[in-house]
């Protein structure tokens, strides 16, 4: 998968820091700001502990780019000194980069059972299964990765087995939370173990590295169990109607809640969407869903009477090829379930910032079919997997860290988290940028920075974000591309008609093609005889003729190439 | 400006309805769903009243497209029967399309003074000043557009002179609100005239066409005057520091509030950003800002002592070439104001959905420079221009409409508004799609639909959204474009090296170009002799060689053209 990786020149090294081996340091190589690409380093005695290795999503500004990865260049140079890669939990922004970047790390991976099930599939696709050394660690156990000792601590989040890591060194204890919330009734997994957290606090926490996602959110007093009750009631309100529930595929507790809502109302459950089946497999393989029958496939569900099935669907964020979008389509895929007027779609998920428009479009299409839409504005159909409000305060009260290092949030959230941390008793708080190196001791300080870039998975290649092809693609999507092939004789007389390819600029039938061809012929003919014999001059003349024409008539600045054929 | 308009075939007509002249009908041709492109028709006795003519913004899915317009094809066919275009207020989504579409309407325009100032600039740019007949109407006056009578009613919003329209016919009275809120202390313009609204209610309102933007919002009890007080205090907290305030350019009351905050703290005010100057001109020309001195230009401000100026900036939504983005830039434009550590930027605006990422990026850049950021999460620095919470209920209580037609909101907001309307006493409520035709009488019904499409302003052209060039552009931004010029002899032997242009695909120095050229030569050589003499076969062979190579090696599906030169 990595064969075509074209690291950019930048990573040859912007590192401007000497890292003292006797100090414990922390470096976010990805995931300090924003959500995605979590990739954190702890360094001590010349050894490195890597925490998480996730992907990011490119958004609309990077056409053709499938995924983003943290650039591992800095740590790849020291791969022999990596004692291990520890995964906090199985969300893509924490685990999705492993199969892409393991070649650059070549270290043992430590992971709890549920995440391992998903990781195996990724490693297998990348041909790394058996090559990458994977250790499956039970939750709440301790592993020795000298000079680090890492204790897994069960937290609550929106999937099974979210772990905080207590990272011990003889320089002190760091708690790295991963994504977390407190939930007194989480359904799947343990309730928050406040005693264990308090014990860490009593032991003395040098630094806390914590999620900042929901720092502005209001604390909800609702638990996953409340959502379950609400779903049971809600499904009961639409007897005889088809009902689909959109939810995040990895939300195993929610899948179970939806199953309970179906069961309580005499419905069977059908999964629609590949990622739901993948999670179902991982969940069952690791002991979840024990008392639940197998879910129905779409084919099986269609043989059941109308109104006797509850569908769980991917696509609650409006993803184009998802199950919900197919339900909403004017022409759904052949042989798929059809929803119509008065059927119901429940959005059991939040709106991830940036997805507002695609979700609105999906809902508009559903509504156009007369389908009733229920969201968290209408009923209790979702609780967040991230803490909000008072929980953060409680975390600081339990752990009493000296240093706070907020990560995993937008700039404003990190800044707010810094202020809260100081208010809640931390002596120091830093919102680091990716690549910044901080010494963790009684007088923590940022001592410099190392190169922390972003890589783009682009089809089968991995490119630096500053790669020429990506820059060009941005330009061509605004202005189109134009290639002219012009055949000229030895004396520079144009032979025949120029051939033009104008992608994203002219319709194939446009008369302007003929007009432009004529202009090109005239422009070359007007050149002095001796200039006409020089290829570069002829090419530039043609280019500027094209540029002028398209700018004046269309207001466009395309990328232009001229293929000159001299006979 | 319209010369290149290429209407798509669709608008030849999908109209499937006969509109009975004795009925009063309403048709949203744009702006029913979503925010933008407001363009509404009222039909009666074969005559048409047009309300608003706005633009929309294309978002990232439409590369190269500058603006969106409602497709006027349906009404353009009947332009002789248009009695007038009435503008509710000067926001771009209500007035921005006039200069583009007036040629298709060729009717008199009715507009209040502030909007007229801005409209004049637009008509002038489009060469329509003097050609388009514009009537400047005082607020609260009544105009006769037989068979319609239109009364302008002052509302509150986030710019001067927002008007609701009371549209009277002998079939009944329709109230078309435009964008609105109630504000008991709006600073600019009148307080809401509850008496006038109640009087309309007493007269009997057949239908209410109302804004749905904030239907889920919580009612704030804060007024523009409260924001002013808060800004005065806030600016006082940073003596000696440079302070910039980002706000929407058209928010004239906010500009005045910011001026008051500056004045109370001994600062002068400088405008940064062209649209602010444009609004300033329109405001002063129509009698606003009477007691305020002229604003400073950036040049003038830079001659003042540090800390004695308050800057009002465009770009609170993270727009790339705006004043705030320049403040945040690592290399600001030469000769521009420089902000540094401990200077302050206040975001006196909301986050428009869809802009989360660009705003986060802007704030990250500001933060990286050590600039303090203050948003509506930190202090009262903004109130919305749209109603929320109980105001809608109050509106229904005042007007008591029989029919409610929510517009100007996302699908979910329209649906919620429909439910609220019925709860608040409307007998009928419809969330229409653009193009749907509804009869307004005691038994309102949707009687069919007319063509309502979207046009894209693309450089100097106006295209249908389904235009081939736009479809192609989406494809090329994913996969790139490849043009190969191959010279072959009469017998089909390839002469010389093929020339390749691979935009967004290969770096100019890539060795893969040579490998691909070799593959092309071989593929042509392997063809049977007689096939090599047929241009189409040779071209297709080359195309499929390129397609296979790029798919296998790069995972990409570019647009491909082959220029065959036969000698």
């Amino acid at each position: 998968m990595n064969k075509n990786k074209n690291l950019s020149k930048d990573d040859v090294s912007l590192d401007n820091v000497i890292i003292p081996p006797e100090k414990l340091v922390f470096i976010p190589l990805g995931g300090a700001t924003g959500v995605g690409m979590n990739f954190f380093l702890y360094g001590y005695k010349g050894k490195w502990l890597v925490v998480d290795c996730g992907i990011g999503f490119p958004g609309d500004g990077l056409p053709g780019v499938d995924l983003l990865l943290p650039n591992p260049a800095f740590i790849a140079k020291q791969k022999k000194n990596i004692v291990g890669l520890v995964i906090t939990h199985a969300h893509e922004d924490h685990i999705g980069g492993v199969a892409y970047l393991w070649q650059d790390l070549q270290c043992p991976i430590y992971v709890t059972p549920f995440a391992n099930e998903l990781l195996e599939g990724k490693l297998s696709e990348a041909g790394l299964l058996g090559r990458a050394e994977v250790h499956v660690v039970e939750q709440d156990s301790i592993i020795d990765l000298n000079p680090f000792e890492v204790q897994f601590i069960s937290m609550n989040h929106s999937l099974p087995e979210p772990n905080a890591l207590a990272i011990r060194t003889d320089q002190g204890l760091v708690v790295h939370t991963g994504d977390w919330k407190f939930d007194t009734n989480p359904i799947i997994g343990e309730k928050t173990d406040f005693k264990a957290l308090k014990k860490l606090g009593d032991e003395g926490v040098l630094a806390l590295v914590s999620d900042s996602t929901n720092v502005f959110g209001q604390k909800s007093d609702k638990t996953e169990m409340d959502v379950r009750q609400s779903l049971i009631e809600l499904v009961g309100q639409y007897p005889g109607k088809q009902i689909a529930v959109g939810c995040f595929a990895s939300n195993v507790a929610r899948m179970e809640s939806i199953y309970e809502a179906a069961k309580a109302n005499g419905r069977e459950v059908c999964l629609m969407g590949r990622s739901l089946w993948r999670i179902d497999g991982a969940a069952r393989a690791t002991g979840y869903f024990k008392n639940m029958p197998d879910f129905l496939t779409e084919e099986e569900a269609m043989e059941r009477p109308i109104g006797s099935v509850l569908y769980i669907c991917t696509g609650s964020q409006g993803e184009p090829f998802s199950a919900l979008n197919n339900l909403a389509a004017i022409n759904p895929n052949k042989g798929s379930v059809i929803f119509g007027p008065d059927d119901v779609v429940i959005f059991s998920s939040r709106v991830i910032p940036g997805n507002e428009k695609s979700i609105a479009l999906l809902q508009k299409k559903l509504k156009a079919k007369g389908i009733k839409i229920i969201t968290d504005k209408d009923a209790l159909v979702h609780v967040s997997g991230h803490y909000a409000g008072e929980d953060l305060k409680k975390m600081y009260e339990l752990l009493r860290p000296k240093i706070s290092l907020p990560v995993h949030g937008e700039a404003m959230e990190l800044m707010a988290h810094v202020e809260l941390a100081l208010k809640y008793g931390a002596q120091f708080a830093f919102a680091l940028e990716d690549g910044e190196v901080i010494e963790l001791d009684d007088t923590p300080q940022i001592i410099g920075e190392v190169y922390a870039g972003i890589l783009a998975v682009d089809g089968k290649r991995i490119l630096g974000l500053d790669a020429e092809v990506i820059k060009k693609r941005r330009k061509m999507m605004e202005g189109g591309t134009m290639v002219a092939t012009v055949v000229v004789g030895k004396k520079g007389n144009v032979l025949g008609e120029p051939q033009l390819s104008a992608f994203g600029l002219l319709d194939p039938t446009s008369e302007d093609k003929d007009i432009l061809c004529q202009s090109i012929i005239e422009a070359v003919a007007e050149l002095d005889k001796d200039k006409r014999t020089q290829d570069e001059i002829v090419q530039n003349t043609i280019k500027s003729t094209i540029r002028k024409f398209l700018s004046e008539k269309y207001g466009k600045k395309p990328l232009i190439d001229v293929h000159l054929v001299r006979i």
Side-chain angles (χ1 to χ4, degrees), chain A:
Chain A
M1 205 180 268
N2 266 3
K3 281 172 203 157
N4 284 306
K5 198 184 303 181
N6 250 336
L7 298 192
S8 74
K9 281 181 197 154
D10 286 345
D11 57 358
V12 173
S13 206
L14 290 171
D15 312 347
N16 65 2
V17 60
I18 292 164
I19 294 168
E22 74 281 8
K23 295 282 191 181
L24 174 62
V25 299
F26 172 69
I27 312 174
L29 267 199
T33 317
V35 171
M37 293 181 277
N38 289 283
F39 194 49
F40 301 102
L41 306 181
Y42 292 89
Y44 184 44
K45 292 188 175 169
K47 298 291 178 185
W48 295 96
L49 171 68
V50 185
V51 174
D52 287 341
C53 184
I55 56 166
F57 293 97
D60 295 318
L62 293 169
V65 173
D66 306 306
L67 296 174
L68 301 178
L69 297 170
N71 190 326
F74 167 75
I75 190 66
K77 285 181 288 179
Q78 313 199 41
K79 57 174 167 266
K80 284 185 185 163
N81 293 318
I82 305 175
V83 295
L85 163 62
V86 180
I87 302 296
T88 60
H89 65 286
H91 275 150
E92 289 291 339
D93 57 331
H94 295 261
I95 199 174
V98 177
Y100 292 97
L101 299 182
W102 184 81
Q103 297 268 29
D104 298 296
L105 308 176
Q106 300 200 3
C107 67
I109 304 169
Y110 297 85
V111 65
T112 54
F114 179 75
N116 180 56
E117 281 297 319
L118 294 167
L119 182 61
E120 268 189 3
K122 293 173 192 294
L123 292 176
S124 167
E125 269 177 46
L128 292 172
L129 201 61
R131 289 182 56 206
E133 179 186 327
V134 180
H135 299 266
V136 182
V137 180
E138 289 307 314
Q139 280 203 287
D140 300 308
S141 57
I142 296 178
I143 55 175
D144 180 22
L145 298 172
N146 185 34
F148 306 93
E149 185 193 87
V150 179
Q151 180 182 356
F152 287 69
I153 295 169
S154 298
M155 300 293 286
N156 299 120
H157 188 40
S158 52
L159 87 178
E161 302 175 10
N163 297 287
L165 306 175
I167 300 166
R168 287 189 185 81
T169 67
D170 54 27
Q171 295 295 306
L173 166 66
V174 179
V175 178
H176 186 110
T177 64
D179 296 359
W180 68 275
K181 66 170 173 176
F182 295 148
D183 193 329
T184 55
N185 211 341
I187 298 185
I188 290 251
E190 304 293 317
K191 293 179 195 183
T192 308
D193 189 349
F194 292 116
K195 270 189 196 165
L197 291 171
K198 182 165 180 303
K199 211 168 141 189
L200 291 175
D202 294 340
E203 183 180 338
V205 175
L206 175 62
L208 172 65
V209 177
S210 167
D211 171 12
S212 309
T213 312
N214 234 357
V215 76
F216 290 116
Q218 294 299 312
K219 168 73 179 170
S220 159
D221 56 352
K222 302 302 181 189
T223 65
E224 185 61 38
M225 184 53 90
D226 296 319
V227 172
R228 178 175 298 192
Q229 290 303 333
S230 169
L231 284 171
I232 290 173
E233 278 172 43
L234 203 55
V235 171
Q237 290 171 22
Y238 302 96
K241 298 298 170 197
Q242 300 193 94
I243 305 178
V245 184
C247 85
F248 297 117
S250 57
N251 198 334
V252 167
R254 187 65 43 80
M255 282 170 76
E256 201 176 299
S257 293
I258 298 167
Y259 163 75
E260 292 294 340
K263 190 176 149 201
N265 290 285
R267 290 181 187 244
E268 293 181 275
V269 175
C270 164
L271 297 190
M272 298 209 288
R274 271 194 304 169
S275 51
L276 281 163
W277 284 108
R278 192 157 53 230
I279 294 289
D280 177 60
R284 290 181 192 269
T286 49
Y288 300 94
F289 293 169
K290 262 182 197 154
N291 302 314
M292 285 159 58
D294 285 350
F295 293 116
L296 303 181
T297 64
E298 195 166 355
E299 279 181 1
E300 289 166 341
M302 288 173 76
E303 291 167 4
R304 302 294 196 273
I306 290 283
S308 68
V309 176
L310 193 63
Y311 298 89
I312 307 184
C313 296
T314 55
S316 64
Q317 300 302 304
E319 298 92 331
F321 300 107
S322 64
L324 278 184
N325 237 317
N326 188 51
L327 267 191
I330 295 171
N331 297 309
N333 299 331
K334 271 184 192 167
S336 64
V337 172
I338 307 291
F339 269 43
D342 299 326
D343 287 334
V344 179
V345 171
I346 300 171
F347 283 77
S348 183
S349 56
R350 72 177 181 119
V351 174
I352 294 179
N355 295 345
E356 291 80 3
K357 285 189 183 174
S358 55
I359 294 174
L361 183 64
L362 168 62
Q363 293 179 336
K364 187 175 170 178
K365 290 197 281 180
L366 288 167
K367 188 196 147 224
K369 287 184 139 186
I371 295 169
K372 183 169 176 66
I373 297 168
I374 296 169
T375 75
D376 59 357
K377 284 176 177 150
D378 307 299
L380 178 63
V381 292
H382 181 63
V383 287
S384 170
H386 297 270
Y387 71 82
E390 292 297 295
D391 281 358
L392 187 65
K393 188 177 175 194
K394 190 159 184 179
M395 183 65 112
Y396 278 87
E397 286 169 356
L398 291 164
L399 295 180
R400 290 151 280 152
K402 179 170 285 181
I403 308 165
S404 168
L405 301 167
V407 296
H408 205 288
E410 297 302 337
M412 294 300 292
E413 291 166 333
L414 297 177
M415 288 162 65
H417 191 161
V418 161
E419 281 176 33
L420 287 172
L422 296 171
K423 189 172 138 195
Y424 297 156
Q427 287 177 43
F428 307 95
F430 299 86
L432 300 178
E433 297 284 325
D434 285 328
E436 285 186 324
V437 183
I438 187 167
E439 283 179 1
L440 302 179
D441 57 19
D442 284 345
T443 53
Q445 54 178 328
I446 296 167
I447 56 172
E449 59 183 315
V450 301
Y451 177 70
I454 295 177
L455 298 175
V457 178
D458 183 74
K460 294 184 180 173
R461 278 184 294 187
I462 296 183
L463 303 165
L465 266 199
D466 52 350
E468 194 60 26
V469 292
I470 292 181
K471 284 187 200 162
K472 280 273 164 65
R473 221 178 280 160
R474 265 198 290 260
K475 202 163 171 196
M476 65 196 265
M477 75 188 222
E478 292 295 329
T481 66
M482 166 77 84
V483 177
T485 295
V486 183
V487 182
V488 290
K490 281 202 178 116
K491 290 179 179 167
N493 47 321
V494 174
L495 303 169
E497 277 282 295
Q499 298 183 56
L500 300 182
S501 291
F503 293 115
L505 270 170
L506 302 180
D507 277 323
T509 57
S510 168
E511 285 173 10
D512 284 336
K513 267 195 168 175
D514 300 334
I515 300 173
L516 181 54
C517 279
Q518 215 44 51
S519 304
I520 290 171
I521 293 169
E522 283 165 19
V524 176
E526 277 166 18
L527 281 174
D528 292 345
K529 269 189 185 173
D530 62 324
K531 287 190 178 162
R532 267 188 268 157
T533 61
Q534 299 173 51
D535 286 0
E536 209 182 319
I537 292 178
V538 176
Q539 279 172 321
N540 286 339
T541 302
I542 296 170
K543 264 193 198 180
S544 60
T545 304
I546 295 171
R547 191 175 296 122
K548 188 157 171 276
F549 180 86
L550 292 171
S551 165
E552 284 176 4
K553 180 135 191 192
Y554 289 89
K556 288 286 170 184
K557 290 180 184 167
L559 299 174
I560 304 171
D561 246 9
V562 175
H563 294 174
L564 199 67
V565 176
R566 195 159 303 255
I567 297 179

